[in-house]
Amino acid sequence: MRPRSRVRVAKCQMLVTSFFVLLLGLAVASMAALTYFGAHFAVLGHASSERTSYKAMHRWAFYVGISLAGLLTLGAVLTATATVREAGGLMAVGFLCFALVFCALVQVAFWSFRKPTQVEDAVLDTYDLVYDQAVKSSSSIWRQELAAIQDTFLCCGKSSPFSLLGSSEADLCRGAEAERQDCLQGIRSFLRTHRNITFTLTAIGLASTVYGMLLSSFLWFTIRAGCSLDRKGRYTLSPGARGCQPQEPSFFRCSQWGPAPQHSSKADALSGRLGPRGHSDGPWLLQGD
């Protein structure tokens, strides 16, 4: 494949990659919004106190998701614009956005593998706190909070290890509600689905950012070189390379098949003293005098 064809293929791949990265950014933003404003997480956040670990983790997940979505969208727009306009500065900024997203996703993946049950433990601790307060306390506020959680997750109560429930616990699940699944199992099933979606987006994000960094770095070097192939297969300065002067190092960069540039410093001075056959005109000038 010729270098000109390679550049064209790289540009097409960069545009397609930018489009998919843009869609990935929108998906991450939607996932972050559902995590923060969704009914399942919102009802748990409303029932938990400010001092619990769930509250801080809930905010952290939302801010990280929105930041990643913004960087992905910005990187996709910048690299697509830089590919069309052959702008090296925009391409460099797009590469930086992809690099930041890659580093953040590596940290997220490392944290998820190191502490896979931290989110689940925080959510279950919140439900246990509300359940215990609803059973022990005579206030109706905790029962309303527990009822809201159970209606959202379509569950009721939690199974006792001895299969014996007290009167207060038995009153929480009556009639059709008693046929629902255990809330601990329902919450674990919901979190498992949410974790699988997050893992999929993280894997796609890592692959997309690595591929985007490779393409953007290649196109950046191509734009900085400022060379394009003409129809004869020679390297010439492209119109997009503004202010790129053909200096001496461009002999190695832009003249792989083209003729070597002639230096006009000493060559022109010697050409004036040589005759049409290459002999020195010095004696002829002396004879003419």
Side-chain angles (χ1 to χ4, degrees), residues 106-284:
V106 168
Q107 293 292 330
V108 171
F110 177 77
W111 174 77
S112 62
F113 281 108
R114 185 178 178 84
K115 299 179 179 179
T117 61
Q118 186 173 1
V119 176
E120 180 178 337
D121 293 341
V123 174
L124 293 179
D125 289 343
T126 302
Y127 176 77
D128 289 337
L129 176 62
V130 176
Y131 185 85
D132 293 339
Q133 292 294 331
V135 172
K136 297 177 181 179
S137 178
S138 59
S139 177
S140 61
I141 298 178
W142 291 106
R143 286 182 173 267
Q144 293 177 0
E145 296 289 348
L146 181 62
I149 295 175
Q150 294 179 156
D151 292 339
T152 302
F153 286 92
L154 298 177
C155 62
C156 187
K158 59 181 181 179
S159 60
S160 175
F162 303 103
S163 299
L164 295 176
L165 299 177
S167 59
S168 300
E169 297 178 2
D171 292 340
L172 297 176
C173 299
R174 289 185 175 182
E177 295 181 353
E179 299 178 359
R180 296 178 179 178
Q181 63 176 342
D182 179 42
C183 281
L184 298 180
Q185 297 179 359
I187 293 175
R188 287 194 181 98
S189 177
F190 173 77
L191 293 178
R192 190 180 302 111
T193 303
H194 188 273
R195 184 172 59 250
N196 292 336
I197 296 175
T198 304
F199 177 78
T200 302
L201 292 177
T202 303
I204 295 175
L206 288 172
S208 301
T209 50
V210 169
Y211 194 62
M213 285 190 293
L214 293 176
L215 289 176
S216 58
S217 60
F218 172 75
L219 292 176
W220 182 82
F221 282 113
T222 303
I223 295 172
R224 291 293 296 176
C227 298
S228 62
L229 284 171
D230 56 10
R231 295 181 179 179
K232 295 182 181 180
R234 298 178 179 179
Y235 276 104
T236 57
L237 290 176
S238 62
R242 300 178 180 177
C244 181
Q245 298 293 334
Q247 300 176 356
E248 185 176 359
S250 63
F251 170 79
F252 304 98
R253 187 173 64 239
C254 303
S255 300
Q256 296 182 1
W257 295 290
Q262 298 179 356
H263 300 282
S264 60
S265 58
K266 296 181 179 180
D268 293 340
L270 294 175
S271 62
R273 297 182 182 181
L274 296 177
R277 297 182 180 180
H279 300 288
S280 175
D281 291 340
W284 181 80

Side-chain angles (χ1 to χ4, degrees), residues 36 44-57 59 129:
Y36 193 78
L44 290 171
H46 185 268
S48 62
S49 60
E50 294 291 337
R51 298 180 180 179
T52 58
S53 60
Y54 173 79
K55 206 73 171 182
M57 193 177 301
R59 292 199 188 99
L129 176 62

Side-chain angles (χ1 to χ4, degrees), residues 57-109:
M57 193 177 301
H58 194 200
R59 292 199 188 99
W60 177 84
F62 174 73
Y63 293 146
V64 170
I66 291 298
S67 300
L68 291 177
L71 287 175
L72 286 171
T73 305
L74 181 61
V77 173
L78 288 178
T79 51
T81 306
T83 303
V84 175
R85 299 180 58 182
E86 295 186 357
L90 295 179
M91 189 68 71
V93 178
F95 175 85
L96 180 61
C97 292
F98 288 157
L100 291 176
V101 173
F102 175 78
C103 295
L105 289 178
V106 168
Q107 293 292 330
V108 171

